[in-house]
Amino acid sequence: SAAYLGYEGTLKVRSQVTGSRVEVLETGPDTPSSLRSVSCIREIDSHLFVVGMRRMVYRRSLTDTQWRRWDAGLRLPLADDAIAGLRSIDGASSTQLVAVGLEGEIWIYSDGCWAQDSSPTTSRLAAVRHVGEGRYVIGGAEGTLLVGTPGQWRMVTHGFENRTFRCIEQWDGRCFVCSDSEELFELHLGQEPSLEQPPSPQPKVNWISATAD
């Protein structure tokens, strides 16, 4: 099956078995809308997660249709007019999560609760991907690229500071990153991570995704 996320919190789910249906994350005054948009959907450990503005997080099982809030202690109160939001989420499991967003925020879900992690940047973070063994890659504006584990993030030095790294994917033991300039990069994950562009002719890429094989 496949799920298509609308920014206002409506999903279209298509299945070869059950056909198509529409799901709504939640209705009410403090829920996704055109002003409180959601921006990322991710399958993690037999669950779907959705994140968005005001640090909203929703979760449901792949075998269920009921979405539940998963952001206790994380979502801004309705009366709080601060601008905050999450742009991406991933995890080693459904109980070990990393979410990133505006102002360089990094949030960790562990032991049943959310806690804000220290971040080496205040730039907007747009993508996070778990790359194995509890290690993550985080990308964002102003060339921000972080590699590490919760509590231990390090900046990747490279020569592409004016890009926003918006999508990260792992395939066949390799890590690929694309930018808002339609560029594709490969991130080499060693003791000293490095970023390089593939040789010419370079493809124009807005988004990347990979299957297990």
Side-chain angles (χ1 to χ4, degrees):
S1 62
Y4 304 89
L5 177 66
Y7 67 89
E8 80 295 344
T10 300
L11 295 93
K12 179 174 286 188
V13 181
R14 294 180 177 175
S15 170
Q16 293 181 341
V17 177
T18 60
S20 297
R21 67 177 185 274
V22 174
E23 298 179 4
V24 178
L25 293 175
E26 188 182 14
T27 59
D30 185 23
T31 59
S33 68
S34 59
L35 296 178
R36 298 182 294 273
S37 61
V38 289
S39 56
C40 175
I41 183 170
R42 180 86 72 192
E43 180 181 339
I44 305 170
D45 191 24
S46 75
H47 290 81
L48 289 177
F49 288 84
V50 170
V51 299
M53 294 301 293
R54 304 188 66 76
R55 303 197 196 102
M56 293 184 291
V57 183
Y58 291 90
R59 187 182 95 151
R60 78 160 171 84
S61 168
L62 291 178
T63 59
D64 196 1
T65 59
Q66 181 65 45
W67 288 90
R68 296 172 175 82
R69 289 193 184 192
W70 210 253
D71 49 24
L74 177 62
R75 183 185 297 219
L76 287 178
L78 185 59
D80 193 333
D81 60 0
I83 298 176
L86 301 174
R87 302 292 295 175
S88 185
I89 188 172
D90 203 3
S93 72
S94 60
T95 59
Q96 298 288 329
L97 306 169
V98 175
V100 301
L102 307 184
E103 302 295 329
E105 288 190 350
I106 303 174
W107 289 82
I108 309 299
Y109 182 84
S110 181
D111 297 325
C113 63
W114 287 99
Q116 188 169 6
D117 201 5
S118 59
S119 175
T121 181
T122 57
S123 296
R124 172 175 51 88
L125 299 178
V128 59
R129 206 72 167 105
H130 178 246
V131 292
E133 299 181 351
R135 198 180 188 198
Y136 295 83
V137 176
I138 297 173
E142 300 175 296
T144 301
L145 200 57
L146 310 177
V147 176
T149 58
Q152 297 180 328
W153 305 106
R154 59 181 298 185
M155 299 281 284
V156 178
T157 302
H158 56 79
F160 308 98
E161 287 76 13
N162 61 338
R163 274 72 162 184
T164 294
F165 296 116
R166 55 178 295 194
C167 184
I168 304 164
E169 187 60 276
Q170 191 177 33
W171 175 77
D172 196 26
R174 301 164 69 184
C175 184
F176 296 91
V177 182
C178 69
S179 74
D180 60 349
S181 300
E182 299 183 328
E183 297 166 303
L184 179 67
F185 300 84
E186 182 170 359
L187 177 63
H188 299 282
L189 295 171
Q191 289 188 345
E192 295 293 334
S194 62
L195 188 69
E196 71 171 6
Q197 283 184 301
S200 297
Q202 297 172 1
K204 287 190 174 183
V205 177
N206 282 301
W207 196 260
I208 49 177
S209 182
T211 60
D213 55 0

